[in-house]
Amino acid sequence: MAPRSLFVPALTLLSSIFTSSVTAQLYSECNPLNRTDCPANPAFGTDWEFIFNETQPDGVWNTTAGTVEYDPETGAAFTISKQGESPTLMTNFYFFFGRTEVFLKAAPGTGIVSSIVWSSDTLDEVDWEFLGGNSSFASTNYFGKGIQDFHNAGYHEIPGGVQDNYVNYTCTWTKEKLEWWADGALVRTLKAEDANNTLNYPQTPMKLSIGIWAGGDPSMPAGTRAWAGGDTNYDEVPFTMYVKSARVEDYSSGKEYVYGDKSGSWESIKIVSGNSTAYENLHKEPEKTLSEKWAELPSSTKAGVYAASGGVAALLFIALAFYYFKQRSAGQKEAAALAAQQEQDRVELERFTKGGNPNYQDYEAMKGGMGAAAGYHDSPPASSAGPPEKTWDPTNNTPGSPTVPSNAAMPLLHDRRESLTTGALGAGEHGHPTR
Ligand SMILES: *[C@@H]1O[C@H](CO)[C@@H](O)[C@H](O)[C@H]1NC(C)=O
Ligand SMILES: *[C@@H]1O[C@H](CO)[C@@H](O)[C@H](O)[C@H]1NC(C)=O
Ligand SMILES: *[C@@H]1O[C@H](CO)[C@@H](O)[C@H](O)[C@H]1NC(C)=O
Ligand SMILES: *[C@@H]1O[C@H](CO)[C@@H](O)[C@H](O)[C@H]1NC(C)=O
Ligand SMILES: *[C@@H]1O[C@H](CO)[C@@H](O)[C@H](O)[C@H]1NC(C)=O
Ligand SMILES: *[C@@H]1O[C@H](CO)[C@@H](O)[C@H](O)[C@H]1NC(C)=O
Ligand SMILES: *[C@@H]1O[C@H](CO)[C@@H](O)[C@H](O)[C@H]1NC(C)=O
């Protein structure tokens, strides 16, 4: 008989792996069942489809372990190419009742686990898991307040299999019930009252994680390896899970979710109103290119730039004219010649200022740090057109763009072994494979 369940909630396992990474997972470390001073959960408060054909907008997803590659054809690729890797994406927002819709093609490989996990700070959890050694079945699971109940797992045959196609794995979640859907077929329903009379029903704000890990790693507890379908053979790498898209809909709208007491019940959650940071990040104007910035400058400012450059040329011209004037006698002829010269210079000046409009070469010059070009466009001096109404600094043309956080260090096997001791104890205490 197949093992019924993982011995510890998947996220507990994942977070124990994460503890070896450089950034501490403060949010998951503060359990509101025990404490009243936990930080608020940043909300999502919106509905958004993330298409993983390209790098994702800043400030929405955290790559909590390893590296995720984005590809226009395959979507996000989560690859285990050697022992110790477990690339994972996690939202840095929470949804409070809602829906996720993930198009996923599971990874092959004995012991390799592809997963879609919702998790809350109280360790409520809702899962889809795909074992690399079983290409026809998906498993579903849930945990309420981190309580392990070995009857919670479900197994569902997916027509067409889980490794050859992208399947639409959707979960919908209200305070009354949870539903798991695969390609439009309802495969499982959990009513709140059926989860230990609502006590073990997932009901607190959730983050979404999508990741791949090796449950069959030799360092894993025996029970986990058995559950995962056996030991992973790293001679068969790479093992890759692909995710085309993830749509997340928060049924609540607000800026933050705050636990009002230690009950872990949905009634205790307070919704702070406002737009969420994630909402703001998603609706932020994309960073403008220099030519777009130029194009939208008010014409008076552009005139200022032209006038300024013209001003320099005019000064040169006057100096030159004075020189000619001094050198030659001030006869009528000379005056006429000078007038002609003046006209020619004016025409040239005009051409020059038109050429002063920033163009591609100018950007290249600026990017190359050519001071003259940069200085020319940088801060046009005050002119008859008035001071520039808008200026910019070409050496720093991405103001306010947050620095891209370097990915968390990959979990080191050494640390991982250590942290997994918890898992081993957990399995020993609570469980035994039901085979
Ligand atoms: C609450 O804290 C106690 C002692 O600090 C600990 O034993 C227990 O596991 C904690 N419970 C949860 C749900 O975190
Ligand atoms: C990704 O998909 C979006 C929506 O279909 C599209 O607008 C965008 O150009 C695509 N990006 C790439 C790199 O293919
Ligand atoms: C995501 O990463 C940022 C920056 O490292 C961190 O401040 C934040 O706590 C992380 N969010 C989650 C939900 O882990
Ligand atoms: C896949 O999982 C299902 C459900 O646990 C099980 O009945 C089936 O035998 C498994 N198939 C393989 C190849 O392990
Ligand atoms: C994915 O499945 C859900 C549940 O059946 C459905 O509501 C949704 O429309 C599907 N998404 C797409 C893009 O077909
Ligand atoms: C169900 O809830 C009761 C308290 O109402 C608790 O004693 C029991 O341990 C719970 N069972 C499980 C499987 O969590
Ligand atoms: C939320 O965003 C909308 C649309 O961007 C805006 O109209 C509204 O003023 C914002 N609300 C707050 C409280 O910032």
Side-chain angles (χ1 to χ4, degrees), residues 45 65 128 160 214 286 335 389:
W128 281 100
E389 290 160 36

Side-chain angles (χ1 to χ4, degrees), residues 43-48 248-254 276 278-279 282-283:
F44 191 44
T46 190
D47 178 3
W48 194 269
V248 185
E249 185 179 352
D250 191 343
Y251 289 169
S252 305
S253 56
S276 72
Y279 179 95
L282 290 170
H283 294 83

Side-chain angles (χ1 to χ4, degrees), residues 4-5 140-142 148-154 188 434:
R4 299 294 300 269
S5 152
T140 57
N141 212 338
Y142 74 90
Q148 298 154 36
D149 182 331
F150 300 122
H151 304 102
N152 291 354
R188 184 174 185 184
T434 53

Side-chain angles (χ1 to χ4, degrees), residues 31 33-34 122-123 145:
N31 190 329
L33 295 179
N34 251 1
T122 58
L123 305 181
K145 301 177 177 69

Side-chain angles (χ1 to χ4, degrees), residues 2 133-134 137 155:
N134 194 327
F137 279 74
Y155 292 89

Side-chain angles (χ1 to χ4, degrees), residues 147 149 196 199-200:
I147 295 166
D149 182 331
N196 201 9
L199 199 71
N200 293 359

Side-chain angles (χ1 to χ4, degrees), residues 152-180:
N152 291 354
Y155 292 89
H156 318 280
E157 190 162 14
I158 304 297
V162 301
Q163 293 175 10
D164 294 334
N165 314 291
Y166 291 89
V167 175
N168 170 357
Y169 296 104
T170 292
C171 274
T172 61
W173 176 47
T174 63
K175 61 184 184 346
E176 286 87 23
K177 65 177 179 190
L178 258 166
E179 289 175 348
W180 286 260

Side-chain angles (χ1 to χ4, degrees), residues 169-224:
Y169 296 104
T170 292
C171 274
T172 61
W173 176 47
T174 63
K175 61 184 184 346
E176 286 87 23
K177 65 177 179 190
L178 258 166
E179 289 175 348
W180 286 260
W181 299 76
D183 270 349
L186 178 62
V187 301
R188 184 174 185 184
T189 302
L190 173 70
K191 290 194 195 138
E193 63 262 34
D194 294 340
N196 201 9
N197 196 24
T198 76
L199 199 71
N200 293 359
Y201 184 69
Q203 54 192 282
T204 49
M206 297 281 193
K207 290 183 288 194
L208 168 65
S209 305
I210 304 173
I212 180 176
W213 56 286
D217 191 274
S219 68
M220 290 286 172
T224 304

